Amino acid sequence: MITVTSSPAPAASPPLASPRAGAAAVCPLAAGGGPAQLPVLARVPLYPRFFLTGLAVTLTAGAGWGAWLLLRIARTRDFTAPSIFEVNAHGQAQIYGWMGLFIMGFALQMFPAFWGVKLASPRLARALLPLMAVAVAARTVGEARPVGLFATLAIAAGALQLLVVAAFVALLAATAWQKGVRGRAADLYIGAGLAWFLLSTVFDLRHLVLTIGAPDRASLLAEIAMWQLPLRDLQIHGLALSMILGVSMRVLPGLFGTPVVDERRAVRLFWPLQAMIVLEVALFPVAMATRRLAVFAAVWLAWVGLAVFGALAVSSLRAFSRPRFVVPRLSPLAFVRASHVWLGVSLAMLVAGPFWSRLLGVPFSHAWHGATRHAITVGFVSLMIVGVASRVAPRPPGSTAAAEAMPLAPFALLNLGCALRVTQQVLTDVTPMAFPTAGASGFLEVAGLVWWATWIVPRLLQAGRPQGGRAGVAPDAARG
């Protein structure tokens, strides 16, 4: 069972590249002056196969298909050109196949090391990858055109996704429940992320059944208008934000050289942040059902609270502080820092959305809200995935520390593509001339991912080969 403890941050930062006794009390991985070494907990590591599969999903049914859908929108200058079923099929591939598989692979590999225990059932862990891959592929095909047997296929695939997520959460819960596990503030965020993962998948299956089974277009639009936004809030603000914050507290100090997070502050920020997520998810359907201005105002206040506490939680990671050890000019840390900037952009846009709609004289700007979502899904989540995965993947054999430097092209293409998408999608509210530029942005992002794939895939293939024995890791270091 995990018992969360809270330790104060060191009163003052020691000289660069010197041991940190105070930091070691909070995060043993951060105690040294150099980057920590990742533990090898099995002869054949789990995470490379999850990462490789996630990358394959996003380059096809995820970001790749999304770029094609965006091109159709640009050509017709109409956001409704792709059907809602195509859009949602693409979305679930990104949630479960891209983000979900990276979360699962990292968690199954590293969370037991954080807690200093063995994974409860490695056999079950290995079975989760093919099951989720099959579910994502089947749902992509079925949900894109949900008629006849395809509708049945989509719902069956959604049920399989729920089964996989439930097994994944239960496996980590059984692992964390072992005797002697002492959790940190980070584990509160990780636990919340896992709870949101399970809840959002239940909610997603319900939404899938009701959209596919809608008897007419009016019923379909009513379901989407009331429930799709809170579902995405559960998946992005609940699962993604909570999980990334928790993992960051565990790995950024040891693997990226950032300062250790103040545990007490992290605990204080946890509860109001989670409360804001609950409020935004619970209040929005009430607002849509009652159409009362006071309830919509309460939703907006929940967004303000989410922006404030989310920004405070991310700023407490201090990713822009000087690293304790030397890193290349363009290292995985650059992607992490860029992701934090994009989160700030998304949270600011979330709060400003009603003012933009009022300026235009419309009840709700779909373009603005879509741009807000893109800033957090691609700008924050995807850049964070790229940064952490690039740091976790091993260097080529015999290479020096300089091999940790990353190519500039993926960083430039991903950020440029995201910037174009966010700005130009907003401008489509003002002028149709912005549609072509917005349409081109998706291909810039895909090009960035493809370029990154050429860099990381050989490293992941190397990491996935059987290791000649298990690397020795100090127990405290494994707990991170």
Side-chain angles (χ1 to χ4, degrees):
M1 176 179 179
I2 293 182
T3 303
V4 176
T5 60
S6 179
S7 304
S13 298
L16 186 67
S18 64
R20 301 185 63 170
V26 178
C27 181
L29 273 176
Q37 297 300 311
L38 287 171
V40 179
L41 302 178
R43 187 169 180 268
V44 180
L46 286 168
Y47 77 90
R49 287 171 287 173
F50 280 85
F51 287 11
L52 287 166
T53 307
L55 184 54
V57 170
T58 197
L59 290 178
T60 52
W65 191 17
W68 171 248
L69 295 177
L70 188 60
L71 189 63
R72 288 170 56 190
I73 290 171
R75 186 167 55 243
T76 59
R77 299 186 179 186
D78 182 4
F79 284 107
T80 63
S83 74
I84 187 62
F85 298 110
E86 290 177 289
V87 172
N88 283 351
H90 148 74
Q92 66 84 28
Q94 287 290 80
I95 293 295
Y96 298 104
W98 170 238
M99 181 177 74
L101 286 178
F102 271 86
I103 288 175
M104 292 169 67
F106 185 90
L108 294 170
Q109 184 75 40
M110 291 304 301
F111 286 6
F114 292 164
W115 303 326
V117 296
K118 293 182 178 180
L119 189 63
S121 177
R123 180 175 296 179
L124 175 59
R126 288 190 292 271
L128 295 179
L129 173 59
L131 289 174
M132 181 60 86
V134 168
V136 169
R139 182 169 169 183
T140 300
V141 173
E143 190 172 8
R145 188 175 175 82
V147 293
L149 291 177
F150 287 103
T152 303
L153 177 65
I155 293 172
L160 180 57
Q161 286 174 331
L162 176 57
L163 178 64
V164 172
V165 171
F168 167 68
V169 173
L171 175 57
L172 288 180
T175 301
W177 206 258
Q178 297 179 49
K179 184 178 180 181
V181 174
R182 290 181 62 82
R184 295 291 181 183
D187 297 316
L188 285 173
Y189 291 84
I190 289 172
L194 293 173
W196 290 126
F197 198 5
L198 182 57
L199 180 61
S200 67
T201 308
V202 173
F203 194 179
D204 183 37
L205 180 58
R206 170 206 168 275
H207 188 60
L208 175 66
V209 171
L210 292 179
T211 51
I212 288 179
D216 50 49
R217 182 170 176 78
S219 300
L220 173 63
L221 294 179
E223 170 66 21
I224 293 167
M226 183 172 291
W227 296 108
Q228 182 136 323
L229 189 146
L231 170 60
R232 297 294 180 242
D233 287 339
L234 279 175
Q235 294 169 328
I236 304 303
H237 297 154
L239 163 60
L241 181 57
S242 298
M243 185 65 71
I244 288 174
L245 286 171
V247 169
S248 295
M249 292 175 197
R250 283 285 196 172
V251 304
L252 290 191
L255 301 183
F256 294 83
T258 62
V260 174
V261 174
D262 183 329
E263 293 264 297
R264 291 176 181 172
R265 185 185 184 198
V267 172
R268 287 197 301 268
L269 290 172
F270 172 80
W271 296 109
L273 177 62
Q274 300 303 315
M276 294 304 107
I277 296 170
V278 171
L279 285 174
E280 68 167 341
V281 171
L283 288 174
F284 185 82
V286 177
M288 292 297 293
T290 62
R291 300 288 176 172
R292 292 185 178 178
L293 182 60
V295 185
F296 281 108
V299 174
W300 180 77
L301 289 175
W303 288 344
V304 172
L306 177 74
V308 170
F309 293 113
L312 289 173
V314 170
S315 65
S316 70
L317 298 173
R318 300 168 66 188
F320 288 89
S321 298
R322 185 183 180 187
R324 297 187 327 279
F325 41 79
V326 177
V327 297
R329 177 169 297 181
L330 188 64
S331 70
L333 182 59
F335 287 83
V336 172
R337 288 171 169 172
S339 77
H340 288 191
V341 172
W342 280 113
L343 176 63
V345 170
S346 177
L347 293 176
M349 291 182 69
L350 184 66
V351 173
F355 299 100
W356 175 256
S357 298
R358 185 173 180 83
L359 180 65
L360 296 178
V362 297
F364 182 80
S365 169
H366 291 277
W368 181 280
H369 188 74
T372 302
R373 282 279 192 244
H374 198 79
I376 195 170
T377 54
V378 173
F380 176 57
V381 177
S382 290
L383 284 178
M384 195 73 190
I385 288 173
V386 171
V388 173
S390 299
R391 178 63 185 88
V392 169
R395 297 197 304 258
S399 63
T400 64
E404 290 183 3
M406 298 185 64
L408 175 62
F411 183 83
L413 289 168
L414 286 169
N415 281 284
L416 177 59
C418 191
L420 281 176
R421 171 68 180 277
V422 170
T423 57
Q424 299 307 297
Q425 181 159 336
V426 167
L427 288 177
T428 60
D429 272 339
V430 180
T431 171
M433 298 299 292
F435 274 101
T437 314
S441 66
F443 289 95
L444 292 176
E445 293 170 345
V446 172
L449 288 172
V450 169
W451 202 307
W452 175 63
T454 65
W455 183 87
I456 198 171
V457 166
R459 297 165 185 247
L460 292 174
L461 291 175
Q462 171 202 330
R465 297 190 184 104
Q467 307 294 311
R470 300 175 184 227
V473 182
D476 284 343
R479 290 190 177 97

